[in-house]
Amino acid sequence: MTYGACDVLNISVRRILLTLTLTLCTAWTHAGEWKSLLEDGIHDPAGPAIGILQQPAEALGILPPDVTGNKVRWRKALEDGYINPRASLAPDTRIRQLDTNILMRNTGDLPYVLFPHKPHTEWLDCSNCHERIFKSKTGATPMTMLAILNGQYCGQCHGAVAFPLTECGRCHSVPATEAGNAASVR
Amino acid sequence: MSSGNRFFNYRRPCAGLTLALMILGLTLASDDSRAEYGDIVINNFSEQAGMAPVIFPHWFHRIRYRCKVCHGDLGFQFQAGGNKIDMLKIIEGEYCGACHNGEVAWPVDNCNLCHSGKPGTPTQVHESTLQKLLVPAGGTGSTQGATKK
């Protein structure tokens, strides 16, 4: 194959990308305070709800810390029993869980992605992901990072409510040399 | 299919550049004046009807309920503003009204606790990756959100 203009661009782009990744992973560690509702930019500071609503710092400050998002490591908060959110309103609701990992290898130069069903099905029902976002068949869902950054696939939740996409390493967690011990591989 | 050996396997020309620029956008996105991550502003109808925009705090609710309660059992779609919620549905026990009925949680007469948004704030999920990317470098999500449409 011959190189076109975009290939040349992509070579330097790849370098930039990797550098940025490193910068991001360090720069994003400014663990900090939670903004008061008064100055969060979306609540009406003059409205009657301020003073009644709970301040994020009060609720989130006692949970396992993270460097990003809500500054809470939600997976740990749940698994270690800091919180015990209800899984249903009606007592007879069927709670479905699954504990399998899927290794995703279409990651260019970056480490492979390990998708764990367990922490997801603790929070979510199968129907939240299958079949609308993901097919229940390893490799059947075509994904790219661009689409994910665009709010599709993993990006529907990661980047909106679950830990944000700036945490590359939390998804890209398996070096290519360690591949091979997941339930299924794509 | 080869797996990611030749750069990024992009189907679109120069998509690698786009990806890098998007991530650059993320790094540059300014960090001050941010609402809590995951806060949703819903303003399809509120201001038109003379009420302040609604703010739904994910952080507050996920301490008490798993995602599946709302996004599975109660049928909330994953899209800010996408459920076309209105007061009739709420009073009839749908959406927020499945809980804010005076039994599970405090009832609907506390209008101001839900309708607590700053005037002019459009429907959005606050601090989403997408929102950051749409904000010009150096701008902030929330000041952008607060300017009129």
Side-chain angles (χ1 to χ4, degrees), chain A residues 18-84:
Chain A
L18 286 173
T19 322
L20 272 176
T21 309
L22 290 175
T23 327
L24 268 172
C25 295
T26 41
W28 229 263
T29 50
H30 40 58
E33 281 83 61
W34 294 267
K35 283 273 181 208
S36 149
L37 300 181
L38 258 176
E39 51 190 33
D40 71 357
I42 58 171
H43 283 90
D44 185 352
I50 302 283
I52 303 176
L53 296 178
Q54 188 178 35
Q55 292 291 347
E58 191 197 338
L60 304 180
I62 53 173
L63 300 179
D66 199 348
V67 293
T68 183
N70 293 124
K71 313 267 162 55
V72 169
R73 192 77 184 229
W74 287 107
R75 179 184 184 175
K76 191 170 161 47
L78 185 63
E79 283 174 0
D80 294 357
Y82 286 85
I83 56 172
N84 185 16

Side-chain angles (χ1 to χ4, degrees), chain B residues 11-107:
Chain B
R11 287 168 202 93
R12 288 207 343 236
C14 289
L17 184 62
T18 320
L19 177 57
L21 285 177
M22 288 179 91
I23 294 172
L24 185 66
L26 273 180
T27 29
L28 294 179
S30 152
D31 194 28
D32 39 78
S33 181
R34 49 164 52 179
E36 198 45 48
Y37 183 76
D39 277 0
I40 305 253
V41 180
I42 315 177
N43 193 2
N44 290 329
F45 313 115
S46 296
E47 279 199 302
Q48 281 172 22
M51 296 292 291
V54 171
I55 297 178
F56 172 80
H58 264 106
W59 60 269
F60 183 95
H61 288 87
R62 74 180 290 187
I63 291 174
R64 293 160 174 81
Y65 300 95
R66 298 179 198 228
C67 330
K68 56 179 105 180
V69 173
C70 293
H71 293 291
D73 301 345
L74 300 180
F76 282 98
Q77 298 295 312
F78 287 134
Q79 198 197 338
N83 293 279
K84 300 284 174 278
I85 305 169
D86 61 33
M87 288 317 290
L88 198 63
K89 292 178 185 163
I90 291 177
I91 288 160
E92 283 176 350
E94 289 178 66
Y95 298 115
C96 323
C99 299
H100 289 280
N101 54 10
E103 287 171 34
V104 179
W106 41 258

Side-chain angles (χ1 to χ4, degrees), chain A residues 7-21 108-110, chain B residues 4-8 16-17 20:
Chain A
D7 293 310
V8 177
L9 259 179
N10 276 342
I11 294 171
S12 42
V13 157
R14 190 176 50 161
R15 283 217 188 91
I16 300 169
L17 200 65
L18 286 173
T19 322
L20 272 176
T21 309
D109 285 348
L110 287 183
Chain B
N5 41 12
R6 194 176 149 271
F7 310 129
F8 306 130
L17 184 62

Side-chain angles (χ1 to χ4, degrees), chain A:
Chain A
M1 253 207 178
T2 52
Y3 286 124
C6 280
D7 293 310
V8 177
L9 259 179
N10 276 342
I11 294 171
S12 42
V13 157
R14 190 176 50 161
R15 283 217 188 91
I16 300 169
L17 200 65
L18 286 173
T19 322
L20 272 176
T21 309
L22 290 175
T23 327
L24 268 172
C25 295
T26 41
W28 229 263
T29 50
H30 40 58
E33 281 83 61
W34 294 267
K35 283 273 181 208
S36 149
L37 300 181
L38 258 176
E39 51 190 33
D40 71 357
I42 58 171
H43 283 90
D44 185 352
I50 302 283
I52 303 176
L53 296 178
Q54 188 178 35
Q55 292 291 347
E58 191 197 338
L60 304 180
I62 53 173
L63 300 179
D66 199 348
V67 293
T68 183
N70 293 124
K71 313 267 162 55
V72 169
R73 192 77 184 229
W74 287 107
R75 179 184 184 175
K76 191 170 161 47
L78 185 63
E79 283 174 0
D80 294 357
Y82 286 85
I83 56 172
N84 185 16
R86 284 166 197 261
S88 66
L89 288 178
D92 54 345
T93 312
R94 199 163 73 119
I95 312 289
R96 300 187 285 179
Q97 292 201 352
L98 185 66
D99 184 5
T100 58
N101 294 332
I102 297 173
L103 191 67
M104 306 179 163
R105 296 180 301 169
N106 213 341
T107 55
D109 285 348
L110 287 183
Y112 295 156
V113 170
L114 189 74
F115 174 84
H117 264 107
K118 181 146 188 297
H120 286 98
T121 55
E122 290 279 353
W123 289 101
L124 294 148
D125 184 55
C126 319
S127 65
N128 291 140
C129 287
H130 298 302
E131 303 295 312
R132 198 177 51 82
I133 308 181
F134 303 109
K135 304 267 178 289
S136 309
K137 185 172 181 297
T138 302
T141 319
M143 287 185 265
T144 64
M145 201 57 223
L146 204 57
I148 293 171
L149 283 163
N150 235 325
Q152 293 171 261
Y153 307 114
C154 323
Q156 288 223 0
C157 298
H158 294 282
V161 177
F163 75 82
L165 293 169
T166 41
E167 295 305 293
C168 317
R170 224 169 270 181
C171 290
H172 292 273
S173 61
V174 179
T177 47
E178 287 172 27
N181 43 7
S184 54
V185 175
R186 57 174 269 153

